[in-house]
Amino acid sequence: MDRFKTFLYANFTRYWEPWHYAPRWRRREGSDVAQESERLPSVSIRLGQTGACGCAACVPLIRRYDLAYGKLRSTHRTRPEAAKLKFRSSATLHAIPLIHYARYADYQTEMRRKSGSFLRNAALSKRAGYRVQDVQLANYSPDILAIHRSAKLRSFGVYLDAFLMRLEHLGGPPQHYARIDAPECTQHWEKIIGVFLPKAGYRQGALQTEQQLVGYARLYRIGNTVTCRDFIGHAEHVPHGVMKQLHLHIIEWLLERSDPLVQGIEQITYGAVERGGDGLYFWKKKALFKPYLASVEPQRLPLDFKAEEYLRLNPDVKGSRADLEAHYVWHGRAEKRLYKVDVPSDFDPVQYLALNPDVQCGVPEADVHYTLHGREENRPYRAASDGAHPVVGPMSYG
């Protein structure tokens, strides 16, 4: 089922959706694509450099969203001719720049001026007893199935999960309580926040939860940006304002800035202006999402990176110079691979091999062996001028 869904969604995203981008943009944001493109402000997206956190889980997130944001209209596509050529296959980021608000009260003030009904509906949801809290989805698999099956049509059209999802795809009913673990890294994390309706005696499999999960949002933090995905609610409860309550809870949490997990976050993004139906677009507009060009900070190579030396030091890596540079950015840096040959200025490869007869390599590879092993093992690399003791080099590779 997962492979079939992935195939359908991938082809929908790649071929069908892009044909709707330009007409949707003209209908939603303006009639002149080129001029509107030039007027758009930009947000600076800094995902973080791979390997900088020392956490292996960060690298897949950085790479995933580097690719995702890279497909959006960006600051280098602002000339009219570029807009005409690229716009058909490019979507426009939908974001709320949190740095525009000193505190949550400022966001509420703007909401009252522009989207008063949004706040009122969220308040009605809260008065009806719905509450928002972090959730471990493994504890609520039957409710998740019910949420996904509750509507056959959603913002992107026919919703496949409503027909294809089964409880076994979610791991079956929960048998024991799964705890919510704290993220390993404050700069790159996944968090799921749900909205619940309290119900005495309510159960999920073997668990007595005392509450029903009626909607949830999956959030990812990548550097200075939070992106919202899987923002989905039960069709029976959505009219009660539960998803608006959930959205406001998320914005309040982000703008309070007291939690270490949210410090330094500058914007929250949610899809693209052109993607999804008109209902989703107007919902996001009332939530104060606006179109922006994406200015994504590129992954940087070390200034002294040498592709040919990286290949010599890492013979398992193959490909062109671009392939080697990409490998270091997405894999090598996190794996602490060496990227340049580093030997003392007076290194003598012939003497190094003579002084270390157990080293099995030729003279051309002596510098590689010394860089990878000899320096750390404190091996001598040449005979002293007085013939008394061989010279041993210091540790200096940075």
Side-chain angles (χ1 to χ4, degrees):
M1 194 273 285
D2 289 341
R3 294 179 64 182
F4 177 62
K5 276 176 52 183
T6 301
F7 172 79
L8 289 180
Y9 281 132
N11 281 275
F12 178 80
T13 302
R14 183 176 180 182
Y15 298 111
W16 182 254
E17 272 274 293
W19 285 99
H20 293 75
Y21 287 170
R24 282 177 179 166
W25 173 265
R26 284 192 290 267
R27 186 172 71 252
R28 294 174 178 178
E29 294 295 332
S31 60
D32 191 323
V33 171
Q35 290 182 9
E36 288 294 331
S37 171
E38 289 194 325
R39 293 193 196 114
L40 285 181
S42 66
V43 292
S44 177
I45 297 174
R46 299 186 300 277
L47 305 178
Q49 299 294 308
T50 55
C53 302
C55 178
C58 300
V59 178
L61 266 182
I62 295 173
R63 183 174 190 180
R64 176 180 177 181
Y65 283 96
D66 182 82
L67 292 171
Y69 288 126
K71 295 176 182 177
L72 297 170
R73 296 167 69 199
S74 63
T75 51
H76 68 272
R77 294 180 186 168
T78 56
R79 289 174 13 197
E81 61 267 32
K84 292 176 182 176
L85 290 172
K86 301 288 187 179
F87 189 69
R88 174 174 288 181
S89 60
S90 297
T92 313
L93 182 68
H94 233 168
I96 301 175
L98 301 174
I99 56 176
H100 290 179
Y101 307 100
R103 56 192 188 280
Y104 178 59
D106 297 333
Y107 177 81
Q108 287 179 303
T109 299
E110 187 174 353
M111 286 286 286
R112 289 189 187 96
R113 288 193 294 107
K114 298 180 178 180
S115 310
S117 61
F118 197 106
L119 288 174
R120 289 192 294 273
N121 290 340
L124 287 173
S125 173
K126 186 176 292 188
R127 285 199 293 271
Y130 293 97
R131 61 191 182 196
V132 179
Q133 65 188 56
D134 292 358
V135 59
Q136 167 55 267
L137 294 185
N139 297 328
Y140 292 91
S141 50
D143 280 349
I144 295 169
L145 180 65
I147 290 170
H148 285 256
R149 285 185 170 181
S150 66
K152 304 297 188 290
L153 291 173
R154 292 192 183 265
S155 63
F156 288 88
V158 176
Y159 189 57
L160 294 180
D161 280 355
F163 302 92
L164 302 177
M165 183 177 281
R166 300 289 183 271
L167 192 57
E168 55 267 27
H169 299 147
L170 301 170
Q175 300 301 313
H176 59 275
Y177 178 77
R179 69 180 186 180
I180 302 173
D181 293 324
E184 293 182 29
C185 175
T186 60
Q187 299 300 303
H188 303 91
W189 46 253
E190 175 187 3
K191 189 179 184 69
I192 302 169
I193 303 177
V195 56
F196 296 87
L197 179 63
K199 289 186 175 181
Y202 191 79
R203 303 187 69 86
Q204 293 283 277
L207 302 183
Q208 186 163 330
T209 61
E210 303 291 334
Q211 59 184 1
Q212 177 187 359
L213 178 68
V214 299
Y216 66 92
R218 191 186 303 269
L219 304 176
Y220 292 99
R221 176 179 184 170
I222 320 96
N224 71 336
T225 304
V226 165
T227 187
C228 183
R229 295 177 59 89
D230 298 342
F231 194 82
I232 185 170
H234 195 292
E236 179 184 332
H237 298 269
V238 168
H240 301 162
V242 296
M243 302 310 288
K244 294 175 181 177
Q245 181 186 357
L246 176 58
H247 169 76
L248 292 178
H249 174 92
I250 292 170
I251 297 299
E252 182 177 11
W253 173 58
L254 293 174
L255 287 176
E256 281 181 351
R257 300 184 175 93
S258 58
D259 190 332
L261 292 180
V262 307
Q263 292 174 10
I265 292 174
E266 297 180 5
Q267 56 263 332
I268 179 171
T269 71
Y270 182 10
V273 175
E274 300 86 354
R275 299 200 67 202
D278 289 344
L280 175 62
Y281 167 73
F282 286 112
W283 192 99
K284 291 195 290 180
K285 188 173 183 178
K286 285 191 170 292
L288 304 186
F289 284 93
K290 297 176 183 178
Y292 290 90
L293 297 176
S295 176
V296 183
E297 181 184 53
Q299 294 294 310
R300 296 186 299 271
L301 284 167
L303 294 177
D304 55 353
F305 180 86
K306 297 179 174 63
E308 61 279 5
E309 293 188 6
Y310 184 63
L311 180 60
R312 290 183 67 206
L313 292 163
N314 302 277
D316 58 312
V317 180
K318 306 294 182 183
S320 64
R321 180 181 183 85
D323 294 331
L324 294 171
E325 292 176 350
H327 185 277
Y328 179 77
V329 164
W330 297 117
H331 304 286
R333 181 153 48 203
E335 295 167 5
K336 308 297 183 186
R337 290 182 183 241
L338 303 183
Y339 59 81
K340 66 174 182 178
V341 172
D342 188 39
V343 295
S345 58
D346 57 349
F347 180 81
D348 187 322
V350 175
Q351 290 191 40
Y352 178 69
L353 295 178
L355 292 167
N356 300 278
D358 59 313
V359 173
Q360 300 298 310
C361 70
V363 172
E365 291 79 40
D367 57 349
V368 170
H369 186 278
Y370 182 82
T371 300
L372 293 173
H373 308 290
R375 186 187 300 276
E376 183 177 355
E377 295 167 4
N378 213 31
R379 288 177 178 264
Y381 62 84
R382 68 172 178 82
S385 56
D386 59 5
H389 300 285
V391 176
V392 176
M395 292 287 288
S396 66
Y397 190 89

